[in-house]
Amino acid sequence: MSDYILVLDEGTTSTRAMLFASDGALVASAQAPLTQHYPQAGWVEHDPREIWDKTLACALDVIPKAGGAAMIAGLGITNQRETVVAWDRVTGEPLTRAIVWQDRRTEPLCAAMREAGHEDGVQQRTGLLLDPYFAGTKMRWMLDNVPDVRGAADAGTLAFGTVESWLVFKLTGGAAHISDSSNASRTLLMGLEDMQFDEGLCDLLGVPLFALPGVTDMAGPLAMTDPSLFGCAIPITGMAGDQQAATIGQACLAPGQTKATYGTGAFVLTCQGARIPRSTNRLLGTVLTQIDGARTYAIEGSVFVAGSLVQWLRDSLGIVDLAEETEALARSIPDSGGVVIVPALAGLGAPHWQADARGVIAGLSFASGKAELARAALEAMAHQTHDLCAAFTADGAPWKTLRIDGGMAANDWMAQDLADMLGIPVERPGFVETTALGAAMLAATGAGLYDNLDEAARAMRGELARFKPGMTADIREERLARWRKALAAA
């Protein structure tokens, strides 16, 4: 019986293929790093060919563990959102490097659109702000600055897509050019009430509608892989942007339930049910699920730098050899010695949205060492999350419990610090890679292994660890005061 689920998890720093049993148990996994290209300050790029080649290699590595492709009921894809790929529909080859979600090169375009008075209308339609983070302005930049992209547009052969769209195109041998509604809702090119990309929004950003994928449900019979890739065709039955997938993997499917993913960045989503979110505190509205044409929504706060701060401490400063060492360093001292890090290495995201902000390390003294820097880096996660919590509360979406996941969530010290600084319980699943698990839940539902997403979530979600707040209010306020002072200098 074919009841395995294959998930392709396309992160910012790596790509993985993960094989799940129908009860959510991880059977096999293969992972490969992705090269980060930094052509100049504020620019971040990936090679689309590398993404495809390494994804295919990882898939071919794990499929035999299921007994072959015929044993796989459905394939799910989850991906770094807002990263844009441009390719030629005829040749199937990329036309330039992908522009990654962290990239800030389109700030002049965003500033010009804000100054022209477009932001309020765009936010009302899309739930998003005019910020380089989102995919549409990256597409416009490619058209304006890459001759091959403009040439393909003029010839009518240009295809734009986020990473899941690129992978589906390659997986199907060019037969399908689609995007799921969660990824489409992150482009600035589709309204929250729209079912497809909007011609008016495309005209505003100068992106040709014909180059965009068709928008689909997030679960169901979405496409079939080219039989020549894996020996037989595998149904593609689930797709979601990584943060929506993590929210699903955490079973945050009822209004008010909240999750935070701590990966390269940090992303908090609170389910809003069928109600379209309208933030007045510079948070984002986004599609959470779409199945059989019915949508649920979430309100979201996005922090650009989380795990990438620890990566920077490791790779650029040599503070640690392994990211995991930060927990022992944080525990080795009673406090950070007054050191505060504002991790605005790629600008500040929600609720500040300052694209030109830069990182700050404040409070250094001769007594400051590796432990203080490591602890301050972990404390910055709680400080940034606290700012988001205040904005969510002001928008009428207070948190009662926070469910955390992602690579950084495995750090017990950080999990407890979050509970202490937020003053609410924090829950962490035993399997913290809930992004992949959420994609597996979608794919299992789309393949018919479960009747609906709630049933899949109940069956596939594992045990939880709980962290209760224990910090006194005076210590919390002292830390927040130092954070606010450092934040003002960013």
Side-chain angles (χ1 to χ4, degrees), residues 354-375:
Q354 297 174 16
D356 58 349
R358 290 296 175 261
V360 171
I361 302 178
L364 292 172
S365 71
F366 282 121
S368 305
K370 291 183 177 181
E372 285 74 16
L373 285 168
R375 181 162 175 145

Side-chain angles (χ1 to χ4, degrees), residues 445-461:
T445 303
L449 300 183
Y450 295 99
D451 290 338
N452 54 61
L453 195 54
D454 286 316
E455 184 181 311
R458 284 193 299 270
M460 299 174 75
R461 190 175 183 231

Side-chain angles (χ1 to χ4, degrees), residues 2-7 20-24 72-77 218-221 235-239 248 291 436-453 455-457 459-460:
S2 57
D3 61 355
Y4 288 100
I5 297 296
L6 175 65
V7 169
F20 289 90
S22 59
D23 63 357
I72 296 174
L75 187 155
I77 300 173
M218 295 165 61
I236 299 172
T237 57
M239 293 199 299
I248 293 164
I291 299 176
L437 183 60
M441 291 174 180
L442 282 166
T445 303
L449 300 183
Y450 295 99
D451 290 338
N452 54 61
L453 195 54
E455 184 181 311
M460 299 174 75

Side-chain angles (χ1 to χ4, degrees), residues 278-367:
R278 306 292 186 194
S279 175
T280 58
N281 291 275
R282 299 183 68 75
L283 298 174
L284 308 175
T286 197
V287 173
L288 177 57
T289 65
Q290 180 182 316
I291 299 176
D292 293 331
R295 281 186 181 163
T296 66
Y297 297 89
I299 191 168
E300 174 176 342
S302 305
V303 169
F304 297 149
V305 177
S308 52
L309 175 63
V310 175
Q311 185 180 18
W312 177 73
L313 290 179
R314 181 194 67 197
D315 298 343
S316 297
L317 299 189
I319 298 298
V320 293
D321 293 324
L322 298 171
E324 294 79 6
E325 295 171 10
T326 56
E327 179 169 356
L329 286 170
R331 292 186 185 281
S332 72
I333 52 177
D335 54 53
S336 70
V339 177
V340 179
I341 297 179
V342 179
L345 281 73
L348 283 171
H352 311 288
W353 294 106
Q354 297 174 16
D356 58 349
R358 290 296 175 261
V360 171
I361 302 178
L364 292 172
S365 71
F366 282 121

Side-chain angles (χ1 to χ4, degrees), residues 163-236:
V163 172
E164 88 296 340
S165 187
W166 165 242
L167 288 180
V168 170
F169 185 86
K170 299 300 283 186
L171 285 165
T172 61
H177 184 207
I178 58 175
S179 176
D180 70 274
S181 61
S182 69
N183 277 293
S185 74
R186 310 294 296 185
T187 60
L188 293 169
L189 301 173
M190 185 183 80
L192 287 175
E193 298 180 70
D194 299 335
M195 300 307 289
Q196 296 292 328
F197 289 110
D198 178 75
E199 187 172 3
L201 290 168
C202 288
D203 289 345
L204 178 65
L205 268 73
V207 174
L209 183 61
F210 78 81
L212 297 174
V215 181
T216 71
D217 281 345
M218 295 165 61
L222 305 178
M224 297 290 288
T225 67
D226 184 338
S228 67
L229 290 177
F230 306 122
C232 68
I234 299 174
I236 299 172

